[in-house]
Amino acid sequence: MVLFPHAKINLGLNVVRKRHDGYHDIESVLIPISLRDALEAIVDPDVPAGKVQFTRTGLLIPSDSSNDLVMKAHAALQADYALPGLRMHLHKVIPTGAGLGGGSSDAVHALLLLDKLLEMRIPESTLRDMAAGIGSDCPFFLNNRAQLAEARGEKLRPLAIDLSGYWLMLVNPGLHISTPEVFANTTPTGESSNLAYALAETPMRGWRLVARNVMEDFVFAAYPEVQVIRDRMLAMGAEHAAMSGSGSTVFGLFLEAPPAQKWPSDYRQWVFQLGE
Ligand code: C5P
């Protein structure tokens, strides 16, 4: 059985405060996008029960495959359920350390895939708890729709934000940016930005002011090439352009298909029209 874990972009990202548990309360609107990995699982009687033979292809991932979030998802399931021997394969298309949530989506889709393949019928609340235990932005990927994320990222509310028809340009400069490093260097704003309301009530050209990604301050200073991409998208006529999550990917939203751009050879670029 194969699932296709999707990526996300963040419309606005407010780091509200540092919490006593070391995490931060955030406020962000996450939108699923159709850039996808592929994740396959099969039951293999030659693999001992509870074990998994895991392989990866596609984009290189800097960390060892035993530390992959797919393995963390398997371990979380194995802790509560008796699993048969499995083979799993992940084909990476979504770059890592890119602010696109690829690893988190892979982990959540591993839970969904094994639930489906093994007909486990795991209760939704258990899936939510498992996802939140794997990573702060994991629960978002349980539902393929726009959501407002608050608290650590696990408090979610569906939003009726419709970007269908817009053209999305994604540019990744090939930089792997560490999320904890960005959180540690971002000054919390101390207040809610009423993000869902601001996005709904403000024309897209004003989103840069009312729905800022506050992580840009540190990342643009530490990695100026990320800001160069954002500025170029605005100069190309983007209605809105911003860094996604903790970077390094920048996205631009356009009314018309943006003209092909020449970026440095180690950059990756995707352009597609958003659907319903
Ligand atoms: O939850 P996750 O493992 O994805 O978070 C990675 C790191 O990012 C955390 O260890 C923490 O340093 C930081 N983080 C945070 N506040 C959040 C989410 C992540 O400080 N809401």
Side-chain angles (χ1 to χ4, degrees), residues 22-26 72 104 132 134-137 151-153 179-180 183:
Y23 284 88
H24 294 80
D25 282 330
I26 63 151
K72 219 169 154 182
S104 300
I134 296 169
S136 299
D137 65 356
R152 200 161 60 88
T179 300
F183 268 107

Side-chain angles (χ1 to χ4, degrees), residues 116-149:
K116 215 165 163 185
L117 176 73
L118 306 172
E119 297 178 2
M120 298 165 75
R121 296 189 179 81
I122 303 172
E124 212 182 303
S125 59
T126 307
L127 283 173
R128 267 205 309 271
D129 290 347
M130 280 185 177
I134 296 169
S136 299
D137 65 356
C138 284
F140 162 76
F141 290 101
L142 287 167
N143 292 299
N144 189 2
R145 57 169 305 162
Q147 294 162 74
L148 172 71

